[in-house]
Amino acid sequence: MQTEEVILAVSFPGNDSIAVGAVMTRAGLFQKAVFFRGGSEMKAKKNALKRKLKKAKKEQKQGEHFRRKIENINDYYAHLISKRIVEYCIKENIRVIAVPNYQQTIDFSQKQYLKTDHFEWIGRRVIRYLKYKAFSAGILVSAVPVAHVSDCCSECGSKIRRYNEGHTPGIHYFGGQLFLCPNGHRGNSGLNAAKNIGKRFLSYY
């Protein structure tokens, strides 16, 4: 990397922001955040279909029809978000994207938000589509180990607690969009994870 170059590190929190990006310098300094939204819209569409699917359980053929529709929604948003990430990198002249390596073994009992139910979290699918879209645009996608990128503070390394507005911060509150660390650092948990991903990538190079 040239001294003036930056990278885009991306996390996939699975809320309204399907992906959260942190633009970081070669020295690991955070420059700005970018949020790729659409999760709430996607969830509303899938929930409407799930209700129809529940009613159609007795009719196997009709049930398959709704399951395919849910899969199509997942595919649509995975393609949409991966496309937006690549377009952002082209616009900002970013040549490297760092993502978490979700192909590694994960203890899903401790990370329910990463559950394998294909009706839910689509992070893996976004990464899969992102890789070939980025390659076509001359952009490198590099996957880094996921250990502790989501449960440690990107500023000091301390274990974080997550929460949403009005809730009590907790260690196992994986759906929390905000975070708080013992040293007073706080902010968006998806952005915090993205910063950790970026720092891990840069530590290798």
Side-chain angles (χ1 to χ4, degrees):
M1 290 178 63
Q2 300 298 318
T3 304
E4 69 278 5
E5 280 190 281
V6 296
I7 68 165
L8 180 69
V10 186
S11 70
F12 301 88
N15 48 49
D16 183 52
S17 295
I18 296 176
V20 178
V23 179
M24 303 179 72
T25 67
R26 180 182 176 184
L29 298 176
F30 170 69
Q31 284 196 337
K32 58 183 174 180
V34 54
F35 295 85
F36 301 93
R37 305 185 188 278
S40 296
E41 179 183 86
M42 177 183 68
K43 185 177 180 180
K45 289 180 180 179
K46 289 201 291 186
N47 283 344
L49 286 170
K50 284 179 184 179
R51 288 192 291 270
K52 292 180 180 179
L53 177 61
K54 190 175 181 180
K55 292 179 181 178
K57 274 187 176 180
K58 293 181 180 179
E59 300 179 32
Q60 187 175 356
K61 187 175 180 181
Q62 193 176 15
E64 285 299 324
H65 169 74
F66 290 125
R67 276 188 282 271
R68 282 196 302 272
K69 281 198 167 186
I70 292 172
E71 279 292 335
N72 289 340
I73 289 173
N74 284 336
D75 251 358
Y76 171 79
Y77 281 93
H79 276 297
L80 178 67
I81 296 303
S82 58
K83 179 183 176 184
R84 286 178 179 173
I85 293 171
V86 172
E87 287 175 345
Y88 178 83
C89 289
I90 293 172
K91 178 183 174 184
E92 299 294 324
N93 196 30
I94 296 173
R95 300 190 303 156
V96 177
I97 302 170
V99 297
N101 184 2
Y102 288 125
Q103 300 307 314
Q104 295 179 329
T105 301
I106 298 174
D107 183 357
F108 287 97
S109 66
Q110 294 298 314
K111 297 183 183 295
Q112 289 297 316
Y113 67 107
L114 296 181
K115 58 187 175 181
T116 55
D117 181 356
H118 59 281
F119 282 2
E120 300 297 340
W121 186 73
I122 63 168
R124 280 191 184 85
R125 197 177 306 207
V126 176
I127 293 172
R128 188 165 68 247
Y129 296 160
L130 178 62
K131 285 181 178 179
Y132 77 78
K133 286 183 171 69
F135 181 80
S136 298
I139 299 168
L140 171 70
V141 176
S142 181
V144 302
V146 298
H148 304 302
V149 297
S150 61
D151 61 7
C152 289
C153 177
S154 59
E155 297 295 326
C156 65
S158 300
K159 289 288 186 178
I160 64 171
R161 291 176 293 161
R162 296 188 185 186
Y163 66 101
N164 286 322
E165 289 291 348
H167 294 157
T168 302
I171 295 175
H172 298 298
Y173 194 165
F174 298 115
Q177 298 182 38
L178 303 173
F179 83 94
L180 174 67
C181 94
N183 295 315
H185 301 118
R186 61 176 66 214
N188 182 279
S189 59
L191 180 58
N192 178 69
K195 290 179 182 178
N196 280 330
I197 291 165
K199 287 184 175 182
R200 183 159 296 173
F201 169 81
L202 291 165
S203 72
Y204 298 145
Y205 302 100

